[in-house]
């Protein structure tokens, strides 16, 4: 008996997710490069579809998101009945954890794996096993070494946030081949559209012939719809049907569905978004390395910068950037206390980052 309602065991032990900040005291319009958003924003077609949807926001959305389901299936060549839609891909992870984890089970992910995997696993009274990433990349061998008899789900990000690393097609296949058939392999491809490396490929085709692979995508990155929270998973039919039993109705909004459908058809905006990253990611990397800081190779729309000089630590670099009106992302929550993650922005934003870090390096 207690004097007030108590959360179930383990809830208060979970560190809440803290997103990238968006404000700097005294700065009216800071440059926000802390959340890996698309700095071109949403495309014109998505914005127009969103605005047109306002007339119907008094009506509940289609609980099956049929219009979006059809559009995604057509765009990616997938079977529509195997799609799971969520309030961002975060909800897809949470639904999978809720469906498959029981107290005492565990998930396995990389040492620097996305925090959302862990939070909902812990909320379901499962444990989290982290595979070491000494080279800032989760390898099949390290992930498989953590698997035990209570492992139910293995999560891998490719490309990975916050490190920017990716797994080759061969590595993903080797990981899958090494797992028991009763273990779900979830491959998070949130940054897929930004990858240019020849040895990477989407795992959609691998998942098509498998009974235990889920591939997730999001509309928050290349499509610039982070504020609408739309993600999906391509899953075996039995997995999709199981998740659908607990998925709350109407979890994707009317404006979100309309904007996402329009975004899929806006090839010009997708190309412009990719071109921006392909142009500026290497330039940003080269410039920052030229100042004496380490920049990890990245396949996403961001770079991870390491500040190994004790005289110029990451915390001081973050403060200096903030003083210049630039917001980036400290990633101490991942154990990367000497790093800052910086979203690749527009030309003006990138030049502001370069100028500020040049000045910081010269101090």
């Amino acid at each position: 008996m207690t004097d007030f309602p108590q959360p179930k065991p383990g809830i208060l032990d979970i560190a809440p997710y803290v997103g990238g900040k968006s404000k700097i005291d005294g700065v009216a319009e800071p440059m926000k490069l802390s959340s890996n958003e698309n700095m071109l924003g949403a495309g014109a077609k998505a914005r127009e579809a969103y605005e047109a949807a306002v007339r119907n926001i008094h009506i509940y959305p289609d609980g099956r998101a049929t219009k979006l389901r059809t559009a995604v299936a057509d765009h990616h060549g997938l079977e529509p009945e195997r799609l799971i839609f969520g309030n961002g891909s975060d909800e897809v992870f949470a639904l999978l954890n809720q469906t498959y984890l029981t107290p005492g089970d565990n998930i396995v992910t990389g040492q620097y794996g996305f925090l959302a995997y862990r939070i909902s696993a812990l909320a379901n009274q499962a444990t989290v096993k982290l595979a070491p990433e000494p080279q800032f990349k989760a390898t099949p061998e390290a992930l498989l070494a953590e698997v035990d008899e209570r492992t139910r789900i293995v999560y891998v990000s490719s490309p990975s946030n916050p490190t920017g690393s990716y797994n080759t097609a061969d590595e993903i296949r080797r990981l899958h081949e090494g797992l028991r058939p009763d273990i779900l392999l979830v491959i998070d491809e949130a940054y897929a559209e930004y990858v240019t490396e020849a040895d990477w490929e989407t795992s959609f085709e691998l998942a098509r012939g498998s009974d235990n692979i889920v591939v997730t995508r999001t509309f928050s990155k290349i499509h610039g719809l982070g504020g609408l929270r739309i993600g999906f998973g391509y899953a075996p039919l039995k997995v999709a049907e199981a998740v659908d039993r607990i998925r709350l109705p109407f979890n994707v909004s009317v404006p979100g569905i309309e904007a996402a459908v329009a975004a899929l058809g806006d090839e010009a905006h997708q190309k412009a978004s990719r071109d921006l990253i392909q142009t500026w990611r290497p330039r940003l990397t080269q410039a920052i390395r030229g100042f004496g800081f380490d920049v990890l190779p990245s396949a996403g729309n961001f770079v991870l910068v390491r500040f190994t000089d004790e005289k110029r630590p990451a915390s001081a670099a973050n403060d200096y950037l903030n003083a210049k009106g630039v917001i980036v992302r400290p990633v101490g929550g991942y154990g990367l206390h000497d790093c800052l993650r910086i979203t690749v922005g527009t030309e003006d934003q990138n030049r502001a980052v370069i100028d500020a870090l040049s000045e910081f390096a010269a101090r």
Side-chain angles (χ1 to χ4, degrees):
M1 179 71 69
T2 62
D3 294 333
F4 54 89
Q6 296 288 326
K8 65 184 180 182
I11 294 297
L12 296 183
D13 296 326
I14 300 173
Y17 183 83
V18 179
K21 73 176 186 178
S22 58
K23 297 179 180 179
I24 301 174
D25 291 342
V27 179
E29 296 183 3
M31 295 183 183
K32 182 175 181 283
L33 302 174
S34 58
S35 298
N36 297 346
E37 294 148 332
N38 186 329
M39 291 297 102
L40 296 182
K45 291 183 179 180
R47 295 196 304 270
E48 291 167 4
Y50 178 87
E51 292 169 0
V54 170
R55 68 174 70 96
N56 292 319
I57 59 174
H58 63 293
I59 298 173
Y60 284 113
D62 170 11
R64 290 284 293 167
T66 304
K67 184 175 182 179
L68 180 57
R69 182 179 299 273
T70 300
V72 167
D74 290 346
H75 185 80
H76 292 288
L78 306 174
E79 300 84 1
E81 67 274 10
R82 291 178 58 172
L83 296 173
I84 302 167
F85 288 92
N87 182 35
S89 49
D90 294 358
E91 188 186 20
V92 178
F93 307 142
L95 288 168
L96 292 169
N97 285 342
Q98 188 178 355
T99 302
Y100 288 98
L101 297 177
T102 60
D105 288 337
N106 67 67
I107 69 165
V108 172
T109 191
Q111 176 182 359
Y112 304 121
F114 186 37
L115 293 177
Y117 313 147
R118 314 179 196 182
I119 292 173
S120 61
L122 294 170
N124 284 284
Q125 296 178 290
T127 58
V128 178
K129 302 188 71 178
L130 299 178
E133 298 184 40
Q135 302 301 318
F136 302 97
K137 172 181 173 175
T139 65
E141 293 75 19
L143 290 164
L144 291 171
E146 295 299 324
V147 172
D148 62 23
E149 69 279 0
R150 293 303 300 268
T151 301
R152 300 298 306 277
I153 305 177
V154 173
Y155 283 96
V156 60
S157 309
S158 184
S160 181
N161 169 33
T163 64
S165 63
Y166 71 96
N167 290 101
T168 67
D170 179 67
E171 288 172 333
I172 293 294
R173 281 191 287 269
R174 285 194 284 115
L175 173 59
H176 180 235
E177 290 168 358
L179 292 174
R180 301 191 313 268
D182 64 316
I183 295 176
L184 199 63
L185 173 60
V186 181
I187 305 165
D188 179 359
E189 294 185 351
Y191 300 92
E193 291 87 355
Y194 296 115
V195 184
T196 58
E197 286 74 9
D199 55 355
W200 182 94
E201 64 182 42
T202 177
S203 292
F204 282 144
E205 192 59 37
L206 184 64
R208 173 171 282 113
S210 170
D211 291 327
N212 67 332
I213 294 179
V214 178
V215 180
T216 64
R217 292 283 184 97
T218 180
F219 281 82
S220 298
K221 306 305 178 185
I222 192 74
H223 299 297
L225 301 182
L228 293 183
R229 311 306 303 125
I230 304 169
F232 71 90
Y234 175 59
L237 184 58
K238 289 182 179 180
V239 173
E241 290 175 341
V243 168
D244 222 30
R245 292 174 179 270
I246 64 166
R247 178 185 59 84
L248 296 179
F250 319 126
N251 63 329
V252 183
S253 71
V254 169
I257 290 171
E258 296 298 331
V261 170
L264 280 176
D266 195 345
E267 295 182 2
H269 182 67
Q270 294 168 42
K271 182 179 185 303
S273 301
R274 284 193 299 269
D275 288 349
L276 176 68
I277 303 307
Q278 290 172 17
T279 298
W280 277 100
R281 185 174 60 197
R283 291 184 184 180
L284 202 58
T285 298
Q286 182 179 23
I288 297 173
R289 284 177 177 168
F291 304 144
F293 305 122
D294 185 18
V295 183
L296 274 62
S298 175
N301 68 336
F302 58 90
V303 294
L304 187 68
V305 184
R306 297 183 68 206
F307 298 83
T308 56
D309 184 349
E310 293 182 358
K311 297 179 180 179
R312 298 177 180 84
S315 57
N318 184 58
D319 291 343
Y320 193 83
L321 286 163
N322 283 184
K324 296 294 183 178
V326 179
I327 304 175
V328 297
R329 182 68 181 273
V331 283
Y334 289 90
L336 295 164
H337 299 284
D338 62 349
C339 295
L340 297 177
R341 193 191 67 196
I342 305 175
T343 305
V344 178
T346 62
E347 179 173 351
D348 288 345
Q349 292 170 331
N350 296 328
R351 291 194 184 281
V353 169
I354 291 170
D355 290 344
L357 287 179
S358 174
E359 294 171 5
F360 176 74
R363 296 177 66 192

